[in-house]
Amino acid sequence: MTNTEIAKILEEISEYLDVSNDGFRSRAYGRAAATIASLDREATDIYREEGQKGLESIPSIGSGIAEKIEELVTTGSLHYLDELKTKLPVNVQELTAIEGVGPKTIKTLYTQLHIKTRDDLEKAAASGSLRALPHFGEKTERKILKSIEFLKQSKGRFLLGDILPIASKIEVRLKKIPGVRHVAIAGSLRRRQETIGDIDIVASSKEPQKMIDAFISFPEVVHIYGSGATKANVRLSLGIDADLRVVHDKEYGAALLYFTGDKQHNIELRKIAIEKGWKLSEYGLFKGNKLLAGATEEEVYHKLGLEWMPPEIRTVSGEIEAAMEKRIPRLIPYGSIKGDLQVQTSWTDGTASIEAMTDAALAHGLSYIAITDHTKSLTVARGLDEKGLARQAREIDALNKKFLKKKFRILKSAEVNILKDGKLDIADTALKKLDLVGVSVHSHFGMSEEEMTARIITALKHPLVNILFHPTGRLIKKREPYKVDILKVIKAAKHYGVALEVNAYPDRLDLKDTHIRLAIEHGVKLVVDTDAHAPEHGKFLDLGVAQVRRGWGSKTDVLNTQSVSDLLKEIKRIKNSARRMPTGTEC
Ligand code: DGT
Ligand code: CA
Ligand code: CA
Ligand code: ZN
């Protein structure tokens, strides 16, 4: 059993306990799930090598939960969860995924209307029987139906951040099979698309059969759809399918190019080949029967008169023209973020102390972080008020002395709430004491586009604001973005000297690639950060970098690729130059 599977089950228990009104234990299981999900070692290995004691040494795992994990890894099932399910025969995971349906609602829905599944709920909402319940109305019914529709659309696709680690693990293992020459992940994963339908792997080997045999016997494989001498198609335990194709060396580049896509990009390349009287396929570029190119991607692109380009921009959005004119941009390299600018701690809803988050950032090779705990109007996260921020500042000052010898700097910041009218929920006197001020929308998501855009722009106008956090507020596969005119926000960000955040958290990733490109075209600076709520989240940074690459961004477009002193200087410079802009040129 993998960590992801164990975490999923712990999370499910947490949800059942929450519905059963056992908030305390629910949170314990929730924390355990988050910890297991982001562990670097497999819990199964820990148990095999160190027994239950080993499991208990993991943070957030006490003896009770360690026993449950032991039962899971030894028997593959868990009696406790079965019991919870018998007591409350409701599909909690399916129902909590729906916007506006929380643990309390689930209980009411079950006891009053006997609703157990998403289908039950959809029927009840469609027939208008929900509005009979207290706190329910026609508006809630419509909202629920809309959310169910959205969930149905994203079904069957997986988050990049969930799939990339497992695919990389498989890639590493395949590279060790005797006879192997090349292995690469292709498809939407290589293009770092936000969501992934299935995993495509392309390889070349002297002994293809050996590679196929090894692949289909990997521990993650739960079903083999088909397997031959040079290809195999399987299902992995995460529920995603994976394809492996083993080709000859001389066609490897053409195969990699073809299976990387996207499909439309392939079609455009094929058209160029046809115009030249040639033929392009996954086997190579041919003139009649003669192979013109195929061993490497570079060779194929060059023969077609194009520059090679990074997979992230192969989406038919101007990359072919750019490659013809030899102006493919130098995209921001992976690993080039120097400091994480959105980090929550146990001062609010994060799991760890400022010091623990700092240690984690050091371990991830960073040289600064900004502590951005939530502010007071976000009561669910126990947001900080002005006094809380001042107390936190004292802790940061003390820690900065301690971390000075490691050349690490902790910046004082906050994720300040933008209230309904665009005002901030923290007084200017307190904001002035911060190194950086980030703002975000955390309430009233249902406003009209006009209202929401005006609300955000009012916040950007505030002379102390430096960064707009999660500018669209979407949760991939869970929640649609709020309605906002992103172009107006971009223009206002430029005008008022505010940077826009590319949030690297796997289910957020706002801005989208097209927004990023638009922001860059308007000269707006970006920051990439993780929105970390636990020490392990630091590893998400490159998901944000991937997103910037998909938006054609370079290193200089992203402020926190610089040292902390350069970053602070530039933030100031942007703000000052914005102030000098004549009024009346806003948007
Ligand atoms: P996914 O799996 O839905 O996230 O997206 P992809 O892009 O990985 O798509 P997939 O797995 O169906 O196919 C992998 C690549 O193979 C795709 O990016 C381009 C290429 N390909 C697949 N079908 C076609 C096709 O009908 N025509 C062309 N030209 N290429 C195709
Ligand atoms: Ca795919
Ligand atoms: Ca595929
Ligand atoms: Zn947050």
Side-chain angles (χ1 to χ4, degrees), residues 187 197-200 233 241-243 245 259:
D198 73 352
I199 302 173
D200 304 281
N233 181 215
D241 295 341
D243 288 332
R245 295 175 192 79
F259 290 110

Side-chain angles (χ1 to χ4, degrees), residues 98-130:
I98 300 163
E99 258 304 275
V101 179
K104 280 212 182 69
T105 329
I106 291 179
K107 188 125 198 208
T108 317
L109 291 171
Y110 177 62
T111 48
Q112 305 281 321
L113 296 175
H114 223 73
I115 289 170
K116 294 181 185 173
T117 62
R118 190 173 78 186
D119 282 347
D120 294 348
L121 182 60
E122 189 176 14
K123 278 190 204 116
S127 68
S129 50
L130 287 186

Side-chain angles (χ1 to χ4, degrees), residues 6-7 9-11 13-14 17 23-37 43 47 51-74 77-78 80:
I6 297 170
I9 290 169
L10 296 176
E11 184 56 41
I13 294 176
S14 163
L17 289 169
F24 181 75
R25 260 196 291 176
S26 164
R27 280 191 294 279
Y29 274 92
R31 271 196 304 274
T35 307
I36 296 286
Y47 177 72
Q52 202 189 315
K53 277 273 162 305
L55 294 175
E56 282 175 37
S57 69
I58 304 169
S60 322
I61 310 286
S63 59
I65 295 180
E67 264 170 37
K68 305 288 187 302
I69 298 174
E70 176 181 23
E71 187 183 333
L72 272 174
V73 300
T74 50
S77 64
L78 188 55
Y80 182 51

Side-chain angles (χ1 to χ4, degrees), residues 255-274:
L256 181 59
L257 181 57
Y258 178 87
F259 290 110
T260 297
D262 66 11
K263 187 172 162 182
Q264 212 51 43
H265 179 86
N266 288 352
I267 291 170
E268 292 303 313
L269 293 186
R270 197 172 292 176
K271 274 192 211 154
I272 297 174
I274 290 169

Side-chain angles (χ1 to χ4, degrees), residues 386-387 389-390 393-394 396-397 409 411-413 426-437 464:
E386 289 78 0
K387 279 186 190 145
L389 284 171
R394 287 197 288 278
I396 293 178
D397 286 336
R409 169 88 181 269
L411 296 173
K412 293 169 199 158
S413 184
I426 292 290
D428 288 3
T429 45
L431 295 181
K432 271 190 189 136
K433 292 178 186 145
L434 301 175
D435 297 307
L436 282 173
V437 176
L464 296 169

